[in-house]
Amino acid sequence: MSDWLEHTVQMEVEAPIDLVWSLWSNLEQMPRWMKWIDSVTVPEDNPDISLWKLKSGGFEFTWKSRIIKVIPHQIIQWESIDGLPNRGAIRFYDRHTSSIVKLTVAYAIPGILGKIMDSLFLGRLVESTLHADLERFKQYALQKKAEV
């Protein structure tokens, strides 16, 4: 039996929603700003499926995800269908000259082990990593905005 642990972080990015959406919706670019993501591959014949590889230190996890909801410029929601159990959503809020990016990630960890690990250190580690990922995304988006 697994417990699901969920974390949410958000950041304002001083870039228009069209740019923010176009960068984030190209899943294969995510390793540019997500520290633990080593690769994302989207099969040409099935763009709703993506193959993910996470690497950190001596750990490596893989999983296959399916996009379950897309509303352009608003939300991309996913769930894993094989491998590391996870699910989540990235939400976008248009502020005209800027955009709010809100990332929610949930993952399964077996029973009591998950609760202990989350309360001791895992939750803070995941949230600080996700926050740093959004900061890297913000810098990447600002760089792309300057190039236009």
Side-chain angles (χ1 to χ4, degrees), residues 92-144:
F92 306 88
Y93 302 92
D94 187 358
R95 296 293 182 252
H96 304 292
T97 59
S98 67
S99 305
I100 303 290
V101 178
K102 183 176 182 182
L103 175 62
T104 300
V105 175
Y107 49 92
I109 292 188
I112 191 70
L113 176 64
K115 287 191 185 311
I116 292 170
M117 288 175 63
D118 192 53
S119 67
L120 290 178
F121 68 92
L122 187 62
R124 287 188 302 276
L125 175 65
V126 170
E127 285 186 16
S128 68
T129 299
L130 293 174
H131 187 30
D133 289 343
L134 285 186
E135 182 62 42
R136 277 188 293 279
F137 173 76
K138 177 180 179 176
Q139 297 308 315
Y140 184 69
L142 292 176
Q143 175 189 340
K144 290 297 182 186

Side-chain angles (χ1 to χ4, degrees), residues 21-85:
W21 174 263
S22 71
L23 295 175
W24 201 280
S25 61
N26 182 347
L27 300 180
E28 292 180 338
Q29 289 191 72
M30 285 194 187
R32 294 178 183 263
W33 60 82
M34 297 195 82
K35 178 181 178 182
W36 291 351
I37 302 300
D38 186 60
S39 66
V40 180
T41 306
V42 178
E44 285 185 34
D45 63 335
N46 194 347
D48 289 338
I49 299 296
S50 52
L51 309 170
W52 295 72
K53 184 190 296 185
L54 178 150
K55 274 186 171 180
S56 180
F59 297 103
E60 181 175 307
F61 298 100
T62 59
W63 68 93
K64 185 185 292 187
S65 284
R66 174 180 50 229
I67 301 293
I68 56 176
K69 182 178 185 178
V70 174
I71 301 173
H73 300 103
Q74 293 181 31
I75 188 171
I76 302 170
Q77 187 174 355
W78 75 89
E79 66 182 2
S80 64
I81 54 174
D82 185 35
L84 183 68

